[in-house]
Amino acid sequence: MKNKIKRVISPRRILVIVVCLCAALTALSYLSDRLVTPLREAVSQVIIPLQRGMNGIGIGAVEHEEKLRTIDELTAKNEELSKRISELEDENKLLREDTKDLADLRSLYETDQLYASYEKTGATVIGASSQNWNSSLTLDKGSADGIAVDMNVIADDGLVGIISEVHNNYSIVTTVIGDNSYVSAMDEKTQDVCSVRGDLTLMDTGYIHVERFKENAEISDGDRIITSNISAKYLPGILVGYAHDVTPDGNALTKSGKVEPAVDFEHLQKVLIIKQLKADMTAD
Amino acid sequence: MKRKLTEIGLIILFYLLQVTLGRNIRIGGIMPNFLIILPILFGFYNNRQEGIFTGFFAGLLYDLFFPGLLGFSSLIFVLLGYISGVLGDIFEQHSIVVLIAITAAGTFSYEFLIYIGNFLLHNRIFVPFYITRIILPETVYTVLIMIALYKPLQLLNRLVESKKVKREKELNETIS
């Protein structure tokens, strides 16, 4: 009997059946999320706690390693830094004068720390995308903690990205450096609107694109690029990064360049999720 | 049964390695593909069915937590597991060269298909950049990880072999 079954279920037949099953799954998930979501919820009940634990071990190990760094390295660094301090002190004097102007201007525009008043909740990054193609992150807070899709995520006072998927006990952030990310932004000083676009081909440079400035926009290197008031999903006034090398495009109608993101995506561990949704603000 | 459970356990462990450790061992922003190794190794050491089984579940887990098509990775992993099972019948169990070849070919084709679906069709047509900067480094890195892992996994695979298979193998050895 057993041998008979074995003969009927030859490996090749299993292959054909499983391949068809996979193809059907792919087609179904392309058409609707209804099948994927319950499966994801069920598996996440097991995986997410494990992932959280594993991540904890990882963070512990990294911290331990940092402690073990040699004193030599630190003394060398100290010398270097003392030198740098004196340099910076000079620079600071000059900048302080600029800051005064900036503070005045900011209070004028009322973008100054606009998002400081929003309700925020902290979250830990417990995983990265399993592929090299996209740069989404998994956070340890989900719908159970009041997280919803399209909430803005910040860290180090800069924009990390936007929540693209929420599940019961975890959520996924699409980062601004990701290949298909678009953020409607503007120059803080001149208020010229633009859009910031992530691009995988720029991964080695540490920059992302900034595009669609008007040709008369005067953008200088180091200008703060912040999220704009007209964005549908991003709250206004969040720092995205610093402008770099904005030059006129070939069409002589627009200007584009690069932005250095304000957030260090390589070493991101803790982030803040802003619970205020832009859609609710406009509805009020 | 014992072996199936071990395989499921390994799939979960490798998935966790992928999403947690993977981020920290990136070289030049590229991480290896841990999960693709499992169907290849288990298909090669055991048989086609095992390759299909591990491929299906590894691919499913791989797809489940990130936006995209569920079942696409499964499809590729299942085919890889099967091909690897066929090669396992032809070649000797310790022929690392075959394993390297199939891991490299498998990772490359898998990543290239993802590139076509997610990038080429979205007008990212600069193919040489994506191949040299992402697909090839990942392939090489995955092969290196596979080389590091294939011996321990082979030992583990022997440990969880069912008694029947063990007896058959011993018999074969005494005959030859």
Side-chain angles (χ1 to χ4, degrees):
Chain A
M1 187 62 200
K2 221 177 177 183
N3 280 337
K4 208 174 179 185
I5 293 174
K6 257 192 183 162
R7 235 179 294 140
V8 177
I9 316 175
S10 70
R12 195 169 300 169
R13 274 194 199 159
I14 298 179
L15 179 74
V16 172
I17 293 166
V18 176
V19 163
C20 289
L21 181 70
C22 290
L25 271 178
T26 314
L28 268 175
S29 70
Y30 180 72
L31 294 173
S32 137
D33 267 352
R34 227 175 266 170
L35 172 91
V36 185
T37 314
L39 196 61
R40 214 172 258 175
E41 293 296 348
V43 179
S44 73
Q45 295 299 332
V46 183
I47 294 288
I48 295 296
L50 283 173
Q51 199 168 323
R52 232 173 261 185
M54 190 107 162
N55 201 54
I57 298 171
I59 292 174
V62 169
E63 273 168 6
H64 189 64
E65 192 197 307
E66 265 167 17
K67 266 184 210 156
L68 292 176
R69 263 192 204 149
T70 53
I71 299 169
D72 287 3
E73 223 173 280
L74 289 175
T75 26
K77 196 134 198 201
N78 193 14
E79 240 169 71
E80 199 188 300
L81 287 176
S82 337
K83 242 189 246 165
R84 186 114 178 85
I85 284 175
S86 52
E87 281 171 27
L88 286 174
E89 267 171 356
D90 289 344
E91 225 180 286
N92 200 14
K93 263 181 217 158
L94 295 170
L95 285 176
R96 213 172 282 163
E97 285 159 27
D98 286 349
T99 320
K100 230 181 174 180
D101 296 342
L102 189 66
D104 291 348
L105 283 169
R106 256 193 229 165
S107 61
L108 211 63
Y109 290 130
E110 286 184 347
T111 52
D112 176 35
Q113 294 295 305
L114 197 58
Y115 52 93
S117 56
Y118 300 140
E119 192 194 342
K120 295 194 250 339
T121 176
T124 310
V125 178
I126 54 167
S129 153
S130 51
Q131 295 176 349
N132 288 317
W133 297 104
N134 51 20
S135 52
S136 47
L137 299 167
T138 312
L139 302 182
D140 67 344
K141 294 256 170 95
S143 54
D145 309 281
I147 307 301
V149 170
D150 282 351
M151 279 180 179
N152 294 183
V153 180
I154 58 171
D156 317 327
D157 275 335
L159 183 67
V160 172
I162 195 158
I163 304 271
S164 57
E165 254 185 64
V166 174
H167 299 275
N168 190 30
N169 55 357
Y170 74 101
S171 53
I172 291 170
V173 198
T174 306
T175 58
V176 291
I177 54 168
D179 202 81
N180 278 322
S181 154
Y182 279 90
V183 182
S184 167
M186 63 184 183
D187 186 296
E188 191 178 43
K189 207 163 63 188
T190 64
Q191 304 272 300
D192 286 308
V193 289
C194 58
S195 53
V196 174
R197 179 168 64 88
D199 188 348
L200 195 63
T201 54
L202 291 180
M203 61 188 284
D204 291 323
T205 63
Y207 291 110
I208 48 181
H209 288 298
V210 58
E211 307 168 321
R212 290 192 229 155
F213 276 120
K214 287 216 179 83
E215 42 94 33
N216 56 3
E218 296 220 353
I219 313 298
S220 35
D221 281 7
D223 273 8
R224 284 162 61 98
I225 302 294
I226 59 173
T227 49
S228 78
N229 303 317
I230 55 170
S231 167
K233 289 178 176 175
Y234 291 95
L235 298 165
I238 304 174
L239 176 66
V240 181
Y242 304 95
H244 177 80
D245 203 16
V246 177
T247 49
D249 288 331
N251 59 16
L253 294 171
T254 53
K255 278 182 162 182
S256 64
K258 297 196 170 86
V259 167
E260 188 185 356
V263 179
D264 177 10
F265 285 94
E266 279 292 309
H267 307 101
L268 207 54
Q269 289 295 350
K270 301 271 180 201
V271 296
L272 286 172
I273 305 170
I274 303 179
K275 285 190 157 180
Q276 173 76 44
L277 283 171
K278 178 75 186 262
D280 295 344
M281 277 171 79
T282 43
D284 287 343
Chain B
M1 200 59 211
K2 194 163 100 187
R3 171 205 229 87
K4 292 273 189 289
L5 284 178
T6 318
E7 279 166 3
I8 295 283
L10 272 178
I11 289 171
I12 293 176
L13 177 71
F14 272 48
Y15 172 78
L16 292 174
L17 283 177
Q18 179 82 53
V19 293
T20 53
L21 186 71
R23 206 169 145 233
N24 296 319
I25 59 167
R26 275 185 297 197
I27 298 179
I30 295 297
M31 54 187 178
N33 191 335
F34 281 99
L35 278 170
I36 208 169
I37 298 171
L38 284 176
I40 291 176
L41 285 187
F42 278 96
F44 193 78
Y45 291 144
N46 305 313
N47 52 43
R48 291 159 213 197
Q49 284 101 316
E50 298 277 328
I52 294 173
F53 175 82
T54 29
F56 183 73
F57 285 102
L60 207 59
L61 196 57
Y62 199 92
D63 283 345
L64 206 51
F65 285 101
F66 283 92
L69 295 176
L70 181 83
F72 171 73
S73 299
S74 283
L75 191 74
I76 307 294
F77 286 11
V78 161
L79 286 172
L80 272 177
Y82 182 84
I83 295 169
S84 172
V86 173
L87 290 176
D89 290 347
I90 303 170
F91 295 96
E92 283 179 48
Q93 290 282 295
H94 47 261
S95 54
I96 180 83
V97 182
V98 183
L99 278 175
I100 290 176
I102 187 176
T103 311
T107 315
F108 187 88
S109 359
Y110 173 67
E111 293 299 324
F112 196 70
L113 283 172
I114 290 183
Y115 165 69
I116 291 176
N118 291 336
F119 285 79
L120 196 62
L121 297 181
H122 291 182
N123 206 17
R124 309 274 201 279
I125 45 178
F126 192 53
V127 184
F129 171 83
Y130 292 99
I131 288 188
T132 53
R133 186 61 189 83
I134 294 172
I135 301 179
L136 278 181
E138 187 181 331
T139 306
V140 172
Y141 205 173
T142 306
V143 167
L144 289 178
I145 295 287
M146 192 279 295
I147 293 173
L149 287 177
Y150 96 102
K151 257 297 146 0
L153 282 177
Q154 193 176 28
L155 289 176
L156 183 73
N157 186 46
R158 283 214 189 117
L159 274 180
V160 294
E161 239 161 32
S162 66
K163 274 181 191 146
K164 194 180 148 215
V165 179
K166 253 185 207 162
R167 239 180 290 135
E168 274 171 12
K169 276 202 180 149
E170 270 163 27
L171 203 69
N172 280 341
E173 267 162 32
T174 43
I175 290 169
S176 62

